[in-house]
Each structure stands twice: as structure tokens, then as C-alpha cells.
Amino acid sequence: MAERVLITGMGMVSAIGNNVEENFRSLRAQRSGLGYAQYVDTIHAGKLPVGEVKCSSEELAEMAGLTDATGFTRTTLLGLVAMQEALFSAGIKDPRDTPAAFINASTVGGMCDTEKIYFDILDPEKEGTFLQLIDTLDCADCTQRIADRAGLTAYVTTISTACSSSANALMYGARLIRAGLVERAVCGGTEALTRFTINGFNSLKNIDKRHCMPFDKDRNGLNLGEGAAYLVLESESFAQRRKARSMAELSGWCNTNEAFHPTSPSPEGDGAFEAMRKALAMSGRTVADVQYINVHGTATLNNDVSEGRALERLFGDNVPSFSSTKPFTGHTLAAAGAIEAIYSVLSINRQMIWPNLNFTERMEELRISPETRLLEESPVKNVVSNSFGFGGNNASLVISKYGN
């Protein structure tokens, strides 16, 4: 029988907190982290809201315990801060004691720093002065630096599948555990704000100048964010042997690729529907067993229609409470799946359902509306967490109360 995959540690940093507990307190207080950029140098500062981590790169380096941060980009520093908390949370003093996989996700890699030297690259008089920084551009560079610093050496790899990246990292780690290849996998993602992503999404007319309004009739786009999150996954037998605290179970998962369009999902939510359906089937749960859905909910015109229709197709007239937490953090792209997986674990452990901020009026295309209240003392046992990326890359996770 395949091993159950347990979540034994979590660490994160986002626009609403520098650790898991700070994030929880902001969620409970319904306090958004959206504002205007202070640390990313963009012509859109003061115009387009973002979910920026409230620390300079120098402060992040100090939090990560680095005395020399040369070669460590903001993306890497965010990841290091989240990684340290995840390992401490899991009670792991020396990761080298047990061979563990490290599956990291990022779409920008070191672009947050390398884009600053773009014009230097084109200037022949400055040849060679930027080569060390160029090496940090690759997404795998931040992965390797985090792995080396943390002591994760058994198996290290990087996933970059747009907004579903870190959800896919969690799936990959869980599959390695189920296959008996490792007993532990640390999975998640890290992403810093960059001019490139801000300009790119703005050129697609996908960014709202207001705070984003997922599933609202008047929605007009997303707000970008940054952050990092990692979850420690362990086989049930290994977690029991070392008497680890089990926070939840990653009971089911599925990735589908509908390949409908390079940037838009299918109008009827075909890929999202299949991802959720198959993830639930794998978990052994039914639609009636789900109490909460942390939706992808980007507040873009096409995405919310597609995901909403997928929810109506799968759950019929009994769609559970659902909400998007992106009005808290912004859309953190590659880190979103792991950040929202932690919010799903918190929902189970704290018995709360998070509100969908900024909602006022239901969309004309749907029969359903998101939860707008903070629901406390809610009997949450199973959560579906969705992360959908460009190219129709759809990832759904089922996170369950351990022992449920």
C-alpha cells in the first residue's frame, strides 16, 4: 500500500507576514498586504498596487543569517527565510541526517537583480563587470544556493510551470515519497517582484490599478506579489518513527494541461474541472467531503469565469465555501501554490475559512459567490487548493486533516 504523505513543517514569508504565525494573524484580522512598491524599481511604483514583502534585501539577508550576501538575489533571500522556518517547524536540526529531496519552484529566478544591469550588458565598455551577477539569473541558481545553505543534498531540482509551479513541486515531492525513493521532501517556491513581470502582465492588460476583486462583477485584473513558502513532506511511517508533529495530510493531487491558449484558460474550465475531480478521486474523498476551496482566483476576466464554471460543474448546487486569498498577498506566481497550501493547512488546524476581500457583486456568468466573511470554528477537514498557470497548466491539491 502506498505511503500516506504528511505535512510536518511549514515556513513562509509574504506581503502579510515574515513567518507562518504573522500570516495567520493577518488573515484573521482581514488585513491586506497590498500597497505600492518600495523595493522594486519600476516606473509603475505609486500607480499599480503590489503585494511586496515589507523588508529590504539587506534586511532579508540579516534574517537569513548571511554575513556576506554576495550572489544572493532577493528571490534567493526570500526562499532562505522561508526555508529556515520550515525546517525549524518540522524539528529538523540537521537536514543531512536524513536524505531529503528539495523541489523548488520559481519563474523569475534572479531576474529581480539581473534586470538592473540590462544596459550594462549592452555597453562594451563595461564588459565583464556583470558576469558574476548574470550567473544568478537561472532559476536553478536560487534553488542550489538555498539547498547548499540548508544542507539539502540528496536530490535537488527546479520546477517552472508559471503560476502552478510550487503546487507542482509539492506533487513531485509527494510522488517521490509514494514511490519509496525518499522519506522526506521539502517542496515549495520563491518569487520576487520584477520589472519584467510587472511590465509583462500590464502589457496583457491583466493588472488592476485598484486592489484586486476576485470573482466580482467589477473585477479588472490581478495585483502581483512576491514571497516564498516551503512545506516539509514526509512518509507516514518515517514521521511516526521520529515522532514528528503531523499538521495535515497531502491526500490527493492532480495536474492537467488543457493547452487551450498560451495565456487564457478554457471558457468552461475543462482543465480546472479535471484537475479537481482527479485530485479528489486520488484522495479517496468525494465532493461532499470538501468544506473549503482556496481558489486560484486571480481576478482576471477569463480566469474567474473559467474556474467558477469548473466549480459549478464539479460540485453542482452544493459548492462549498470558497475564496481567493490573493487580495491579501497579491499573485505571487511560482510561490502561490505553496503559500496557499499553507493557508489551507491553517484553515484545517485553526478551523477557519478565509474571506474573499473586496467582493461586492456576483458575476453574471456564475450562480455562486465567494465567502466574504471570516468563518471561525468551522469544521474544516478537507480543502481543495487550486493553482492554474499559463498554457492551461492546472494543479489541484487536496489537503486533509490527518486521521480524517
Side-chain angles (χ1 to χ4, degrees):
M1 183 176 177
E3 282 268 21
R4 298 172 76 176
V5 179
L6 305 185
I7 298 167
T8 60
M10 306 188 300
M12 70 188 308
V13 56
S14 79
I16 60 172
N18 294 337
N19 52 54
V20 172
E21 187 61 28
E22 287 183 9
N23 273 260
F24 165 70
R25 290 200 295 264
S26 292
L27 289 170
R28 190 176 188 185
Q30 303 179 59
R31 183 170 56 245
S32 172
L34 296 177
Y36 293 113
Q38 298 182 54
Y39 302 114
V40 60
D41 183 13
T42 169
I43 60 173
H44 299 295
K47 299 176 183 178
L48 300 179
V50 293
E52 193 172 43
V53 171
K54 309 303 186 288
C55 298
S56 67
S57 294
E58 291 74 20
E59 289 170 326
L60 290 170
E62 185 176 350
M63 290 166 62
L66 293 175
T67 54
D68 181 5
T70 303
F72 286 81
T73 64
R74 186 172 177 86
T75 306
T76 305
L77 295 172
L78 290 167
L80 278 173
V81 171
M83 174 61 72
Q84 290 175 350
E85 184 189 11
L87 296 177
F88 180 81
S89 167
I92 300 171
K93 295 181 179 178
D94 187 353
R96 296 174 182 83
D97 290 343
T98 299
F102 176 39
I103 319 297
N104 188 42
S106 186
T107 65
V108 301
M111 189 186 300
C112 51
D113 287 358
T114 57
E115 66 182 6
K116 298 174 185 176
I117 60 167
Y118 176 79
F119 290 105
D120 291 343
I121 297 172
L122 301 178
D123 187 346
E125 295 184 2
K126 296 183 179 180
E127 183 178 357
T129 61
F130 48 81
L131 292 180
Q132 184 178 11
L133 190 55
I134 282 294
D135 290 340
T136 68
L137 174 62
D138 195 311
C139 290
D141 179 84
C142 72
T143 302
Q144 194 61 57
R145 287 177 187 270
I146 295 169
D148 290 344
R149 185 76 181 174
L152 297 165
T153 59
Y155 180 83
V156 179
T157 194
T158 307
I159 288 179
S160 187
T161 56
C163 309
S164 60
S165 298
S166 56
N168 284 327
L170 285 159
M171 290 189 207
Y172 190 10
R175 290 174 61 197
L176 291 174
I177 291 171
R178 280 273 183 99
L181 297 175
V182 295
E183 293 181 303
R184 174 188 292 154
V186 185
C187 310
T190 180
E191 201 88 305
L193 283 164
T194 71
R195 302 176 202 169
F196 179 85
T197 46
I198 294 171
N199 293 342
F201 278 90
N202 194 45
S203 70
L204 291 172
K205 303 185 186 303
N206 269 352
I207 295 184
D208 200 331
K209 294 181 180 179
R210 309 162 299 174
H211 288 196
C212 64
M213 306 167 65
F215 285 88
D216 191 275
K217 180 182 178 181
D218 194 36
R219 74 199 183 284
N220 195 39
L222 54 78
N223 308 132
L224 287 168
E226 64 179 2
Y230 296 104
L231 294 89
V232 178
L233 307 182
E234 295 182 346
S235 68
E236 182 180 35
S237 59
F238 177 67
Q240 289 176 343
R241 286 200 308 274
R242 75 179 192 94
K243 296 181 172 57
R245 174 183 56 160
S246 299
M247 300 175 175
E249 176 185 358
L250 180 53
S251 59
W253 56 85
C254 181
N255 174 285
T256 63
N257 197 306
E258 62 197 48
F260 173 78
H261 184 272
T263 60
S264 296
S266 65
E268 299 304 317
D270 295 334
F273 170 81
E274 282 299 306
M276 289 188 287
R277 185 181 69 82
K278 291 179 178 178
L280 277 171
M282 180 185 193
S283 75
R285 276 73 175 176
T286 68
V287 293
D289 295 322
V290 178
Q291 289 79 37
Y292 172 52
I293 306 164
N294 187 293
V295 291
H296 186 53
T298 58
T300 51
L301 298 179
N302 293 338
N303 178 85
D304 288 5
V305 173
S306 175
E307 187 172 14
R309 285 175 174 164
L311 293 175
E312 291 179 343
R313 287 172 62 185
L314 183 62
F315 293 94
D317 294 329
N318 298 297
V319 178
S321 294
F322 70 94
S323 66
S324 170
T325 47
K326 289 180 174 66
F328 287 94
T329 63
H331 188 357
T332 56
L333 305 181
I339 286 174
E340 292 164 22
I342 290 179
Y343 290 166
S344 299
V345 174
L346 289 174
S347 181
I348 292 170
N349 290 345
R350 307 297 177 98
Q351 296 288 274
M352 294 182 185
I353 291 175
W354 317 120
N356 194 112
L357 303 180
N358 308 328
F359 179 85
T360 57
E361 187 174 358
R362 189 177 67 196
M363 294 163 50
E364 294 177 349
E365 299 91 341
L366 302 177
R367 306 186 308 272
I368 56 175
S369 299
E371 182 55 64
T372 59
R373 303 163 297 164
L374 173 71
L375 300 183
E376 302 192 68
E377 299 182 7
S378 295
V380 181
K381 293 184 178 180
N382 297 289
V383 178
V384 174
S385 183
N386 290 334
S387 299
F388 304 144
F390 280 169
N393 194 303
N394 305 289
S396 292
L397 307 173
V398 180
I399 299 172
S400 303
K401 183 177 180 180
Y402 180 51
N404 177 29

